[in-house]
Amino acid sequence: MNLVKEKTKVKKKVAKTPKPKNDTVTAVKAEQKTAEVYTCPMHPEVISDKPGKCPKCGMNLVKKANEVEAIEENKADSENHENHDVQVMNMETDDLSANITTAKKNLGKIKTVAASQPPRTVRYDLHIRDTVVLFGKRKKRAIAVNGQIPMPTLTFTEGDIAEIHVYNHLKEESSLHWHGLFLPNQMDGVPFLTQMPIKPGAEYVYRFPIVQHGTHWYHSHSGLQEQIGMYGMFIMNKREEWDIPTVPVLLSEWTDMKPEEVHRRLKNANDWFAIKKGTTQSYTEAIASGHLGTKVTNEWKRMTAMDVSDVYYEKFLVNGQNQDEHPQFKAGGKVRLRIANGGASTNFWLNYAGGKITVVASDGNDVEPVEVDRLLIAVSETYDVVVTVPDNKSYEFLVTPEDRTKSASLWLGSGEKVSATKLPRLKYFEGMKMMNNMMDMNGNMVEMDGMKMQNQIMDMNTVMYPEITGAEKSTQKNKEQTGDHSGHDMSKMNTTSQNIVTLNYEMLRAPKKTTLPDGNWRELKFELTGNMNRYVWSLDNKVVSETDNILIKKGENLRIILYNNSMMRHPMHLHGHDFRVVNSQGEYSPMKNIIDIMPMELDTIEFAATEPGGDWFFHCHILYHMMSGMGRVFSYENPSVNPEIPNAKLARRKLNSDDREFHIMAENDFATNGNDGMAMLANTRWSVVSEWRLGYNDMHGYESETHIGRYVGRNQWFMPFVGFDFRYRKMEHGEAEENLLGQVNTKDKRAQVSIGAAYTLPMLVILQGEVYHDGNVRFQLMREDIPISPRIRAGFMVNTDKEYMADLRYILDKNFSARIHYDSDMDFGVGLTINY
Ligand SMILES: [Cu+2]
């Protein structure tokens, strides 16, 4: 958990939010410090009379609210997270003001300098071209603008007019979106929504006034182009700007795999990325670290391995390099870093070797300065921070992806290198245990003991951070080596760092009031939903193509309540508008255009509908989540026609095609006893699967089954289907087969149509029931890909036709496995499995 200090503070309720009708206002009050009881947020059964660590998970204990009062508060809350009271856990407002005071003092008076030129038109010419890069292990295609990755930094001053000429030299369509900018809708750069895509060979001019300031960025909004180089900084200076050395810091990641292939593999629940990252969380690993029970519970709840990121990347980049050096800074110098996360799917931890990091702005909006030891920058967020170069040495500003597999660095100053503290590896099974506690059998996140997780107050992943919750439980072997036989040595845990100050949204305070102008208030609620196994991401279990635009009126105020009922963080981004992230700063809640929402979090954002019209995208900024359809379109009611979209119907169909796309996968086992394989075409709801077993002789037989099904429900555990079954097998003389239901089997020769359904049971076992048109019935149980070890998978199948199969597979690389199996029809086989 963030920011819990050893002297755990009294739980407090603060509500300073400007109130619309039917909201309850709770006065600021601190409870009496009598009869203090501390408990673990994850393990409510743990009760202690003093602060400390949870013996079960190592999380800091939090003060339990006075029981009676807590119950009353819960009553007042409606069950569906309807109250907007902001609960602040363990974060005294006093602590924050003290931090702000110190940060301001340490920053000192920063001189400003006026813009050297009057407002003018600033023109950039951007040429988009294919290129070949070597960021990873081999040369790969990328897209460069004016020959560079990242794209050029575009700099303006508030009051200027931007005129950006874009020349598309690619063989495919493209577009550019100006992230976080207030601009006319038709300049927003979303193909098929605000403009038609820029055709190959075409030139397109974006022209709009610069009416704001701050650190922003721009990127392609076409397909997956953002992943392969189409991101750049977009900086708008104030007319009176800080006179302090400033370095733009654009973070990104690189994969040697084509992004389309990344997307396809994510959709196919292929765990190659986990193998590459060493995060498979297999049964042997579970047993070795004493977490077998955790693993079983996890699969019982129908979850696959726990992870904080989806994709394996070869390299992480700062301004297009893994190591970015800025030697010009001397001892005592302050540097402003304008940081933007241009990664497609990676959140980054930032920490610094030269002392505290002073956060001064987020998403282009100034905040009261705060000093932190580290912060996490979510996908597409921006932060302005000030750091000091303490001595004539080179200090590392370390950039670590959230999964902590690798890192990238920015070096400030010259001379002896001073490294920042590396982030230790995540304790995945601790995370899995936490997820088990948070998830009920219906796949819903359960709220624990009336606690509302809001605004990054509770970083659930804290249980996985060794630097906060202590090192991974040592194995028996290690204990013997160190002579430590105490087993649960709590004193060891307590020696870990208590004082790491991590930024969270509660610490962001706007320097001026951000309350919205008077207007009609309207409230909308969205649940962030998803299915990890099939990689489907949605809002309220609906993807963009399944929903209509949400109509809004100019002049009204929108309050949007977002509840993350999925297992991953989602950075939700609104185009063309900033919103207030409602926090305990009340009227001074910060303005942002991205809100990173952690699992189980309930957040409130508010924005004023101030644009004259247009369609504005609201979506998760993880590229592969967005392409899966996790978003909505806010559409102003006045029927202004966008001249950039001549055929609105066609455009909408094209926009919808992103999340309707079918992905293919196929595999075949070339074995000593025959061929055994499958091919699948699937999208958000539909699945077409064909399986075959082709023996090398008539006695072994030939068979194929095809199912066309549609997944039902948020968890997609249920799939009704229609099927077609063909088989031929020469029977032994006099061999008559009956199935377990007493029906005569027609295995020798049949061509049957069927209807049936598949249902995912606990332990991820699939139960399938099927009725054929001759009246025969078949039930089948099967499970694939049981992770035995990091690279070994087991599977089995058994059905009422007295057929059975068991297999073991060793994964050689992303396309090949060695497999042994036993099949009731085809006997024992050894083979090589090729998958696509
Ligand atoms: Cu997302």
Side-chain angles (χ1 to χ4, degrees):
M1 281 164 67
N2 287 329
L3 273 180
V4 182
K5 292 191 181 165
E6 195 58 27
K7 40 152 190 151
T8 308
K9 290 283 170 61
V10 185
K11 178 181 168 185
K12 236 181 151 179
K13 291 200 83 179
V14 183
K16 280 188 174 174
T17 335
K19 291 294 157 183
K21 55 194 171 192
N22 65 31
D23 252 13
T24 50
V25 180
T26 313
V28 180
K29 68 170 180 255
E31 286 150 22
Q32 296 303 305
K33 285 200 175 187
T34 51
E36 293 182 342
V37 180
Y38 296 84
T39 185
C40 172
M42 309 309 305
H43 300 97
E45 68 274 19
V46 174
I47 303 284
S48 164
D49 57 356
K50 51 181 188 295
K53 299 274 193 174
C54 171
K56 296 198 171 179
C57 66
M59 274 179 101
N60 286 317
L61 299 180
V62 297
K63 182 147 190 290
K64 217 175 168 178
N66 177 306
E67 299 264 83
V68 179
E69 216 168 290
I71 289 163
E72 273 170 9
E73 280 164 11
N74 285 341
K75 267 193 211 153
D77 296 358
S78 76
E79 285 182 354
N80 303 324
H81 323 286
E82 285 190 347
N83 84 327
H84 309 119
D85 299 345
V86 179
Q87 290 192 14
V88 185
M89 302 289 305
N90 313 304
M91 240 312 274
E92 286 278 9
T93 314
D94 298 351
D95 286 353
L96 183 64
S97 357
N99 190 327
I100 291 172
T101 310
T102 313
K104 278 184 172 166
K105 202 175 105 218
N106 292 342
L107 268 184
K109 181 96 184 112
I110 295 177
K111 265 194 278 175
T112 59
V113 58
S116 56
Q117 280 172 299
R120 64 206 169 109
T121 298
V122 178
R123 174 177 168 152
Y124 284 98
D125 288 272
L126 303 178
H127 293 268
I128 309 173
R129 280 197 180 89
D130 265 332
T131 187
V132 172
V133 294
L134 183 63
F135 285 127
K137 291 191 183 69
R138 47 187 79 89
K139 288 186 175 175
K140 289 286 167 184
R141 181 213 170 201
I143 302 177
V145 166
N146 298 356
Q148 63 180 88
I149 295 175
M151 304 194 284
T153 297
L154 310 184
T155 309
F156 303 87
T157 305
E158 198 168 355
D160 286 347
I161 288 177
E163 188 179 301
I164 304 162
H165 294 246
V166 181
Y167 309 88
N168 181 7
H169 305 283
L170 302 173
K171 291 188 189 76
E172 62 191 51
E173 296 170 343
S174 193
S175 61
L176 286 174
H177 165 62
W178 320 98
H179 184 105
L181 264 67
F182 312 144
L183 37 57
N185 188 241
Q186 65 203 61
M187 294 288 114
D188 195 42
V190 184
F192 303 116
L193 187 67
T194 66
Q195 68 171 93
M196 293 308 282
I198 308 171
K199 294 270 182 220
E203 178 190 346
Y204 191 83
V205 182
Y206 291 97
R207 196 166 197 280
F208 49 87
I210 301 293
V211 297
Q212 66 199 112
H213 54 77
T215 302
H216 294 274
W217 65 296
Y218 67 111
H219 58 85
S220 167
H221 225 292
S222 292
L224 302 169
Q225 291 175 345
E226 180 197 297
Q227 178 78 83
I228 53 171
M230 288 192 70
Y231 43 82
M233 297 293 299
F234 196 105
I235 291 170
M236 295 173 285
N237 288 312
K238 297 172 185 171
R239 298 230 53 96
E240 186 80 28
E241 187 55 82
W242 274 2
D243 189 15
I244 174 175
T246 297
V247 179
V249 180
L250 183 49
L251 313 178
S252 64
E253 77 270 272
W254 180 261
T255 163
D256 272 351
M257 198 180 268
K258 272 190 193 161
E260 291 75 18
E261 177 70 359
V262 170
H263 196 39
R264 193 182 70 80
R265 284 182 176 266
L266 288 170
K267 291 281 183 185
N268 293 334
N270 180 304
D271 50 6
W272 180 242
F273 294 138
I275 293 172
K276 290 284 274 183
K277 290 196 286 186
T279 60
T280 43
Q281 299 151 50
S282 64
Y283 273 95
T284 47
E285 292 162 282
I287 292 165
S289 62
H291 284 103
L292 179 61
T294 303
K295 179 69 186 172
V296 171
T297 309
N298 192 249
E299 293 209 330
W300 183 255
K301 293 191 173 185
R302 293 174 270 205
M303 287 186 270
T304 49
M306 147 98 206
D307 211 347
V308 297
S309 68
D310 303 321
V311 183
Y312 170 80
Y313 289 104
E314 261 79 19
K315 270 282 188 328
F316 294 94
L317 307 171
V318 175
N319 297 327
Q321 302 177 72
N322 185 253
Q323 302 293 313
D324 186 27
E325 311 248 359
H326 296 263
Q328 68 271 33
F329 302 109
K330 298 280 176 271
K334 285 189 166 48
V335 185
R336 169 170 56 176
L337 306 178
R338 288 182 178 272
I339 310 165
N341 183 351
S345 77
T346 308
N347 301 320
F348 291 102
W349 281 109
L350 309 174
N351 63 320
Y352 179 54
K356 295 274 185 189
I357 298 171
T358 307
V359 177
V360 297
S362 177
D363 292 353
N365 295 299
D366 291 346
V367 293
E368 296 279 18
V370 278
E371 288 185 351
V372 299
D373 296 299
R374 65 180 185 185
L375 65 150
L376 184 117
I377 181 167
V379 170
S380 84
E381 275 190 312
T382 78
Y383 280 102
D384 288 29
V385 306
V386 176
V387 293
T388 305
V389 179
D391 208 340
N392 283 319
K393 293 177 183 171
S394 180
Y395 292 87
E396 184 177 32
F397 189 84
L398 182 64
V399 175
T400 312
E402 201 186 2
D403 65 20
R404 304 181 173 193
T405 47
K406 293 174 178 170
S407 67
S409 313
L410 174 84
W411 297 90
L412 300 172
S414 55
E416 186 194 328
K417 294 222 158 175
V418 184
S419 297
T421 314
K422 296 269 175 291
L423 297 182
R425 281 186 70 82
L426 294 174
K427 301 186 289 180
Y428 279 101
F429 285 110
E430 291 299 332
M432 189 185 272
K433 195 155 88 186
M434 169 196 72
M435 276 298 169
N436 289 345
N437 289 331
M438 284 165 55
M439 181 86 68
D440 69 15
M441 278 310 288
N442 298 320
N444 282 306
M445 306 296 260
V446 285
E447 204 178 283
M448 285 161 303
D449 282 17
M451 292 173 64
K452 291 260 192 297
M453 312 309 170
Q454 283 193 310
N455 283 329
Q456 299 187 326
I457 294 168
M458 293 257 312
D459 179 354
M460 291 298 160
N461 289 338
T462 301
V463 296
M464 300 167 76
Y465 304 153
E467 71 277 20
I468 304 284
T469 56
E472 184 100 67
K473 220 196 297 180
S474 54
T475 61
Q476 200 57 42
K477 198 176 161 198
N478 289 338
K479 268 184 214 157
E480 279 160 18
Q481 280 168 351
T482 57
D484 171 16
H485 297 282
S486 56
H488 298 28
D489 185 356
M490 289 300 297
S491 60
K492 241 182 170 176
M493 279 180 148
N494 285 331
T495 60
T496 53
S497 173
Q498 291 293 312
N499 304 315
I500 299 172
V501 179
T502 306
L503 184 78
N504 67 39
Y505 286 166
E506 283 301 317
M507 299 167 73
L508 299 180
R509 181 182 169 87
K512 292 194 185 113
K513 285 186 185 175
T514 58
T515 41
L516 303 186
D518 284 344
N520 263 340
W521 278 89
R522 206 143 62 86
E523 191 170 292
L524 297 166
K525 283 179 190 151
F526 295 105
E527 188 176 311
L528 314 188
T529 42
N531 178 297
M532 207 53 201
N533 301 1
R534 295 196 63 247
Y535 211 76
V536 171
W537 300 100
S538 53
L539 298 180
D540 295 335
N541 191 30
K542 287 204 163 61
V543 293
V544 171
S545 69
E546 295 171 329
T547 53
D548 292 330
N549 292 359
I550 296 167
L551 294 180
I552 58 175
K553 274 196 199 77
K554 184 175 175 168
E556 71 179 350
N557 291 330
L558 279 295
R559 171 177 293 111
I560 297 172
I561 298 168
L562 298 155
Y563 177 63
N564 187 353
N565 194 7
S566 83
M567 287 162 62
M568 299 213 74
R569 306 169 83 118
H570 300 285
M572 299 300 296
H573 171 53
L574 177 62
H575 284 219
H577 304 70
D578 275 348
F579 48 71
R580 309 176 74 228
V581 173
V582 177
N583 69 3
S584 55
Q585 307 308 318
E587 293 173 323
Y588 296 87
S589 290
M591 299 299 288
K592 284 173 66 64
N593 60 61
I594 280 281
I595 180 168
D596 170 42
I597 309 177
M598 293 195 277
M600 274 192 66
E601 223 173 76
L602 174 80
D603 288 343
T604 304
I605 59 173
E606 296 172 347
F607 73 94
T610 47
E611 290 301 317
D615 296 331
W616 302 93
F617 208 178
F618 175 60
H619 62 91
C620 175
H621 216 290
I622 292 177
L623 184 59
Y624 305 100
H625 292 189
M626 180 184 80
M627 294 302 280
S628 302
M630 192 172 195
R632 287 292 185 275
V633 175
F634 284 111
S635 193
Y636 279 84
E637 264 179 17
N638 42 334
S640 65
V641 177
N642 182 346
E644 298 291 324
I645 304 275
N647 184 343
K649 265 199 178 138
L650 172 86
R652 184 63 197 209
R653 210 164 59 230
K654 291 281 198 176
L655 185 77
N656 286 345
S657 68
D658 280 351
D659 67 53
R660 286 180 177 165
E661 190 186 353
F662 275 87
H663 294 264
I664 190 168
M665 79 160 285
E667 68 180 31
N668 191 65
D669 184 32
F670 298 91
T672 49
N673 59 346
N675 274 286
D676 192 345
M678 62 96 76
M680 179 173 82
L681 260 181
N683 76 356
T684 308
R685 308 284 171 204
W686 292 95
S687 154
V688 182
V689 185
S690 232
E691 290 179 69
W692 56 84
R693 270 176 293 282
L694 310 172
Y696 292 132
N697 63 53
D698 290 355
M699 301 294 276
H700 283 163
Y702 315 95
E703 58 180 272
S704 82
E705 283 174 39
T706 302
H707 289 159
I708 301 173
R710 185 179 159 89
Y711 286 96
V712 178
R714 178 171 69 84
N715 292 303
Q716 303 205 335
W717 287 330
F718 183 59
M719 184 187 73
F721 61 79
V722 295
F724 181 72
D725 190 4
F726 169 81
R727 53 181 70 193
Y728 171 76
R729 183 166 94 121
K730 195 171 176 186
M731 298 299 223
E732 301 269 349
H733 189 67
E735 188 187 21
E737 283 190 35
E738 266 188 6
N739 68 17
L740 284 178
L741 308 168
Q743 295 169 313
V744 177
N745 214 333
T746 52
K747 279 178 88 163
D748 50 339
K749 199 172 184 183
R750 76 179 188 189
Q752 294 274 324
V753 179
S754 69
I755 57 165
Y759 185 73
T760 306
L761 296 170
M763 300 309 294
L764 300 165
V765 172
I766 294 170
L767 168 67
Q768 191 173 292
E770 205 168 353
V771 186
Y772 296 91
H773 78 245
D774 64 359
N776 265 16
V777 174
R778 188 179 76 176
F779 289 99
Q780 179 165 297
L781 284 174
M782 62 181 292
R783 167 81 201 263
E784 285 174 338
D785 293 329
I786 303 167
I788 303 296
S789 79
R791 282 174 183 262
I792 297 175
R793 301 290 175 271
F796 69 86
M797 182 281 287
V798 52
N799 67 27
T800 52
D801 286 351
K802 300 178 190 167
E803 293 171 321
Y804 53 89
M805 185 283 292
D807 75 342
L808 268 185
R809 202 155 58 83
Y810 182 85
I811 300 170
L812 298 164
D813 75 1
K814 68 181 198 288
N815 296 117
F816 293 95
S817 317
R819 179 171 180 254
I820 51 170
H821 72 280
Y822 186 82
D823 183 302
S824 53
D825 287 344
M826 287 161 47
D827 296 335
F828 185 73
V830 180
L832 184 70
T833 304
I834 300 177
N835 72 69
Y836 169 71

